[in-house]
Amino acid sequence: MIEMKDRIRQIMEAQHMSQQTFANFIGINAASLSSIFNDRTRPTLNTVEALKAKIPNLNVEWLIFGRGTMFIGEGNAAGSHTDGEVTDNSSLSGQGEARMPDLFSGGGEVTPAHSINAGYAAPVKTEVKYVERPKRQITEIRVFFDDQTYESFVPKK
């Protein structure tokens, strides 16, 4: 039986995203995602909520328990068994992406309900202006000692 981390990887790989891109997309730390994939940690409720927030039609029961289909509303897609495990369909002719539509290929029958970018706003590019400031000069230096005293040094002009 495949584990939850493997189902998360299926979502990531079906979308042709790298770990870094996928982590940024769902809003978790890339190191956290790496720890999940390398069995150092288990996916948390925050990870599930982040995935559900970005992919509203994701079947949480499939994600957590492996039952049903990857998306809510999908029928019994080719390659899925009655026990909920999804197999690799790439060997089936013409049905390589029966489990999940490829949202980044630009072709075909992707509906807004399956769009992973639905509700995603492009990042805002900010322009940074550097303002020239007058040169600063040292007016005083104070050194504090552990006996609660200090000395002040003032540069000569």
Side-chain angles (χ1 to χ4, degrees):
M1 180 168 182
I2 61 173
E3 296 180 28
M4 185 173 166
K5 68 174 179 120
D6 299 318
R7 290 186 288 277
I8 293 171
R9 188 182 302 270
Q10 281 182 357
I11 296 168
M12 181 185 77
E13 290 176 351
Q15 295 309 310
H16 309 289
M17 290 186 182
S18 66
Q19 274 186 225
Q20 179 72 44
T21 305
F22 188 67
N24 289 341
F25 174 73
I26 64 174
I28 67 170
N29 189 323
S32 298
L33 188 62
S34 178
S35 293
I36 291 169
F37 289 156
N38 292 323
D39 280 331
R40 288 190 298 271
T41 60
R42 291 181 173 231
T44 63
L45 182 58
N46 290 341
T47 307
V48 174
E49 287 174 340
L51 281 162
K52 185 65 176 168
K54 288 295 182 174
I55 310 170
N57 61 332
L58 180 66
N59 185 349
V60 177
E61 188 170 338
W62 173 82
L63 180 62
I64 297 173
F65 304 110
R67 292 191 294 251
T69 58
M70 188 180 295
F71 292 108
I72 297 170
E74 278 187 349
N76 190 9
S80 63
H81 298 288
T82 55
D83 64 358
E85 279 191 47
V86 177
T87 60
D88 182 16
N89 311 6
S90 57
S91 62
L92 300 173
S93 65
Q95 297 180 6
E97 292 296 319
R99 291 180 283 141
M100 181 173 185
D102 184 3
L103 304 176
F104 298 105
S105 67
E109 34 188 293
V110 176
T111 62
H114 284 92
S115 177
I116 203 165
N117 286 329
Y120 174 73
V124 176
K125 294 184 179 182
T126 57
E127 183 177 321
V128 177
K129 290 186 178 183
Y130 293 98
V131 178
E132 291 292 324
R133 294 176 31 179
K135 186 176 177 181
R136 300 185 306 174
Q137 300 209 354
I138 297 173
T139 58
E140 181 180 17
I141 299 174
R142 290 188 182 177
V143 178
F144 292 90
F145 298 99
D146 60 356
D147 64 353
Q148 304 299 320
T149 62
Y150 68 92
E151 282 188 45
S152 294
F153 299 95
V154 179
K156 295 180 181 175
K157 295 185 181 183

